[in-house]
Amino acid sequence: MLMNFDDLGAYRRGRVWLNEYPPRPYPSKGRVEQSFPLKNYTYQAECTLTIELVLAARMVSNYAYIGVSYFPSDRGELVVQAEIGYDNGVVIDDAIALQPDVVKLGIPKEYIDAVIDEIQKMSAYQDILQPSGKIVIDTGAHGLVGSSPVSFSQAINVLLRLLTLEDKTSKIDIQETIMHVLNNKN
């Protein structure tokens, strides 16, 4: 199921795919795996969730495309297995990045590092509900001009919060979750 969000405020927009992958998994040049104990957690049904975001109408620090496969457990920890993509992957034509940005398949190491750092920060907060289980990150893309560690940090923050939603098919709940993350620091 694909959901388009053409107006997330402040010229932001996005797309969310539930239980389908838009692009194929990207070639990997390595893997990062880390486990995070959670202070506040829930576990939902197994799913795949992918998000593509344009965070602002400017060319820097505004684009992220990341997908996860989620496997729930009640262990109170989040295991993250992230594939490191190449900087210069195959061009993806069907992307919402601002022109003239070129979107390449894969999430390079600097963005994977930002994703891991954000998950570590989020797992330490008592008031942020986190998904317990395992996520595998092997789907995604980056803009040669428009992506940054900040954009991928915000995207994984949104994804983790979407994983905790009971009704992931509610376009209103998904839009509210995205806007909450983008409008707030936590």
Side-chain angles (χ1 to χ4, degrees), residues 1 29 68 77-78 105 177:
M1 172 191 322
K29 65 178 184 178
V68 300
E77 69 178 358
L78 181 60
L105 186 66
T177 301

Side-chain angles (χ1 to χ4, degrees), residues 6 9 19 31 35 53 59-60 92 150 164:
D6 294 326
N19 291 326
R31 176 182 294 162
S35 178
L53 291 173
M59 285 305 298
V60 293
I92 296 177
V150 170
T164 65

Side-chain angles (χ1 to χ4, degrees), residues 82-100:
E83 300 298 327
I84 299 169
Y86 292 90
D87 293 341
N88 209 9
V90 175
V91 173
I92 296 177
D93 292 323
D94 181 27
I96 62 171
L98 298 175
Q99 296 298 322

Side-chain angles (χ1 to χ4, degrees), residues 58-64 101-102 111 143-148 151:
R58 60 183 193 276
M59 285 305 298
V60 293
S61 303
N62 73 351
Y63 181 78
D101 203 359
V102 176
Y111 304 144
L144 291 181
V145 175
S147 289
S148 72
S151 59

Side-chain angles (χ1 to χ4, degrees), residues 21 40 45 48 54 56 91 97 110 123 141 149 151 157:
Y21 278 128
N40 186 10
T48 59
V54 172
V91 173
E110 69 179 303
S123 67
S151 59
N157 190 317

Side-chain angles (χ1 to χ4, degrees), residues 22-77:
R24 63 194 174 277
Y26 53 81
S28 174
K29 65 178 184 178
R31 176 182 294 162
V32 174
E33 188 163 338
Q34 197 163 345
S35 178
F36 301 94
L38 303 173
K39 302 211 182 273
N40 186 10
Y41 66 91
T42 185
Y43 53 98
Q44 303 289 329
E46 183 176 313
C47 69
T48 59
L49 196 57
T50 303
I51 190 165
E52 181 181 26
L53 291 173
V54 172
L55 302 172
R58 60 183 193 276
M59 285 305 298
V60 293
S61 303
N62 73 351
Y63 181 78
Y65 194 145
I66 185 170
V68 300
S69 297
Y70 172 63
F71 306 94
S73 83
D74 63 354
R75 302 176 98 199
E77 69 178 358

Side-chain angles (χ1 to χ4, degrees), residues 32 34 36 80 82 109-125 130 137 149-150 152-154 156-157 160:
V32 174
Q34 197 163 345
F36 301 94
V80 179
K109 183 167 182 357
E110 69 179 303
Y111 304 144
I112 292 293
D113 289 344
V115 165
I116 298 294
D117 289 347
E118 183 68 14
I119 294 170
Q120 183 174 19
K121 289 177 198 169
M122 290 179 69
S123 67
Y125 288 113
Q130 295 293 303
I137 301 169
V150 170
F152 276 90
S153 293
Q154 287 186 314
I156 196 65
N157 190 317
L160 293 179

